[in-house]
C-alpha cells in the first residue's frame, strides 16, 4: 500500500453544546464519528449513506454544521449536514473533483470548501449557498502536482495547498470568489508537502513535508510568507495542527515519538516535552479540539 492510501487524517468540530471527533480510515465505513461527553468519546451510528472508499481526510465547518470527507472513488468528496448527532449526506456537487480526494478544508465562515486531489487541476474549490456547493472557476495557476493538504487562513483571505512537485506549496489570495496565486516564498519546503495548517490568527503557516527538515514554518506579513527557524522533527512529517490560541503546534510523523509538539513564544517554536504515553506507530493525522483542551 502506498503512502497516500495509508493516510488517516482526523478533524474535530463542534458547537457550544456538543463536540464531535471524526476519523477517516481505509476500511468500511471509511469514516467514524464520535461524540464527546467530558472525557468520554462515544461512537455514533454511521451515516445512512457512507463514503464509497478509503477516507483520506475530514473537515468540519467551524460551526459544526457540515462535515466533508475526501476519499477514494467517485464522487471523491462526500458532504454531510449535522442535526444534533445525526449526519445526513447532502446531494453531491454538480461538478465533482477530478479524482481521489486527499485533503479537504472549509473556510472559517463555511462559505468555501477546498479539496486537494490527485489529478489535474489538483485543487477544486466550492462556494456554499445554504446546502448547495457549487464549483468555482479554478485558479488560473494550479498546483504543480498531486494535492495533499489544504488549509484556509482564519479570515478566509489565504488558501494554502501542499503538494507533490516543486514548489511543494502553493498559496492563493482570495478576492471575493477569485483565488489568485501569490509569489512563492523565497525559501520553499524541501520535498513533497503532505500537511498544511494556518494558526488561528493567520500569522503562521506550517507545512509538513517529506525531506529534512520535515517541517517548514512561515510568518505572514502583508501577503509575504517568510520562513522561520525551527528545530526539526526526527522524520518525514505527515500532518500539522495549531491549537486555537496559536500557542502549540503539533506534528505527526513517521519515527518515534511519532508526535512532536512545539510551544510558541513570539516567533520562536520550542519543542515541548513528549507526553508520557506516546502513539505506538507512524502518525498520519493530528488535530486539536476547538478550545485547545484535547489533541
Amino acid at each position: 500500500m502506498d503512502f497516500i492510501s495509508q493516510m488517516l487524517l482526523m478533524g474535530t468540530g463542534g458547537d457550544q453544546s456538543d463536540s464531535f471527533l471524526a476519523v477517516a480510515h481505509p476500511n468500511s465505513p471509511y469514516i467514524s464519528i464520535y461524540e464527546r461527553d467530558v472525557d468520554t468519546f462515544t461512537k455514533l451510528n454511521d451515516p445512512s449513506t457512507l463514503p464509497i472508499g478509503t477516507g483520506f481526510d475530514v473537515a468540519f465547518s467551524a460551526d459544526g454544521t457540515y462535515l466533508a470527507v475526501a476519499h477514494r472513488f467517485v464522487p471523491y468528496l462526500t458532504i454531510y449536514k449535522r442535526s444534533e448527532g445525526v449526519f445526513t449526506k447532502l446531494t453531491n456537487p454538480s461538478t465533482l473533483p477530478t479524482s481521489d480526494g486527499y485533503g479537504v478544508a472549509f473556510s472559517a465562515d463555511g462559505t468555501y470548501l477546498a479539496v486537494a486531489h490527485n489529478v489535474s487541476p489538483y485543487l477544486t474549490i466550492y462556494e456554499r449557498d445554504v446546502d448547495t456547493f457549487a464549483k468555482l472557476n479554478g485558479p488560473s495557476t494550479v498546483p504543480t502536482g498531486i494535492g495533499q493538504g489544504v488549509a484556509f487562513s482564519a479570515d478566509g483571505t489565504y488558501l494554502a495547498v501542499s503538494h507533490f512537485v516543486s514548489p511543494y506549496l502553493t498559496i492563493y489570495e482570495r478576492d471575493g470568489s477569485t483565488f489568485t496565486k501569490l509569489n512563492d516564498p523565497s525559501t520553499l519546503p524541501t520535498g513533497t508537502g503532505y500537511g498544511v495548517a494556518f494558526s488561528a490568527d493567520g500569522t503562521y503557516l506550517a507545512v509538513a513535508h517529506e525531506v529534512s527538515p520535515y517541517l517548514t514554518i512561515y510568518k505572514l506579513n502583508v501577503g509575504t510568507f517568510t520562513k522561520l527557524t525551527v528545530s526539526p522533527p526526527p522524520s518525514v512529517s505527515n500532518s500539522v495542527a495549531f491549537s486555537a490560541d496559536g500557542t502549540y503546534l503539533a506534528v505527526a510523523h513517521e519515527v518515534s515519538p511519532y508526535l512532536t509538539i512545539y510551544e510558541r513564544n513570539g516567533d520562536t517554536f520550542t519543542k515541548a516535552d513528549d507526553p508520557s504515553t506516546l502513539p505506538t506507530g507512524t502518525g498520519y493525522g493530528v488535530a486539536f479540539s476547538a478550545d485547545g483542551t484535547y489533541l
Side-chain angles (χ1 to χ4, degrees), residues 80-194:
Y80 297 93
K81 186 172 183 179
R82 180 181 67 85
S83 177
E84 297 184 345
V86 177
F87 290 77
T88 302
K89 182 185 178 300
L90 297 180
T91 300
N92 293 331
S94 58
T95 303
L96 298 173
T98 54
S99 60
D100 295 349
Y102 292 140
V104 62
F106 281 95
S107 60
D109 63 1
T111 301
Y112 300 97
L113 175 65
V115 185
H117 46 83
N118 77 340
V119 170
S120 182
Y122 308 118
L123 172 69
T124 299
I125 306 171
Y126 297 92
E127 186 170 13
R128 182 181 63 83
D129 181 8
V130 191
D131 293 342
T132 299
F133 289 78
K135 181 186 177 298
L136 296 178
N137 292 329
S140 58
T141 303
V142 301
T144 52
I146 294 171
Q148 288 283 282
V150 62
F152 283 94
S153 62
D155 63 1
T157 300
Y158 299 99
L159 172 64
V161 185
S162 53
H163 53 81
F164 281 58
V165 186
S166 182
Y168 307 116
L169 171 70
T170 299
I171 306 171
Y172 298 92
E173 186 171 12
R174 183 182 62 82
D175 181 8
S177 297
T178 300
F179 290 78
T180 303
K181 182 185 180 298
L182 295 179
N183 291 331
D184 295 332
S186 57
T187 303
L188 298 172
T190 51
T192 295
Y194 290 129

Side-chain angles (χ1 to χ4, degrees), residues 25-99:
H25 46 82
N27 298 319
S28 181
Y30 307 116
I31 181 172
S32 296
I33 306 170
Y34 300 84
E35 186 168 11
R36 180 181 65 83
D37 181 8
V38 191
D39 291 345
T40 299
F41 289 79
T42 302
K43 184 181 179 301
L44 298 178
N45 292 331
D46 295 332
S48 58
T49 303
L50 296 171
I52 302 298
T54 295
F56 291 119
D57 196 11
V58 291
F60 280 98
S61 59
D63 64 0
T65 301
Y66 300 96
L67 173 64
V69 187
H71 56 81
R72 191 183 296 281
F73 303 136
V74 175
Y76 310 120
L77 170 70
T78 298
I79 306 170
Y80 297 93
K81 186 172 183 179
R82 180 181 67 85
S83 177
E84 297 184 345
V86 177
F87 290 77
T88 302
K89 182 185 178 300
L90 297 180
T91 300
N92 293 331
S94 58
T95 303
L96 298 173
T98 54
S99 60

Side-chain angles (χ1 to χ4, degrees), residues 172-273:
Y172 298 92
E173 186 171 12
R174 183 182 62 82
D175 181 8
S177 297
T178 300
F179 290 78
T180 303
K181 182 185 180 298
L182 295 179
N183 291 331
D184 295 332
S186 57
T187 303
L188 298 172
T190 51
T192 295
Y194 290 129
V196 63
F198 280 96
S199 60
D201 64 1
T203 301
Y204 302 96
L205 173 65
V207 186
H209 51 84
E210 185 178 33
V211 176
S212 180
Y214 310 119
L215 172 69
T216 299
I217 304 173
Y218 298 94
K219 184 175 183 178
L220 169 63
N221 183 17
V222 195
T224 299
F225 289 80
T226 303
K227 181 183 179 296
L228 301 178
T229 299
V230 63
S231 177
S235 65
V236 174
S237 296
N238 297 321
S239 182
V240 285
F242 283 95
S243 61
D245 63 1
T247 300
Y248 297 98
L249 172 67
V251 184
H253 49 80
E254 294 193 359
V255 171
S256 182
Y258 308 115
L259 171 70
T260 298
I261 304 170
Y262 296 89
E263 185 170 7
R264 183 184 62 81
N265 183 6
D267 292 341
T268 300
F269 289 78
T270 303
K271 183 184 179 300
D273 291 338

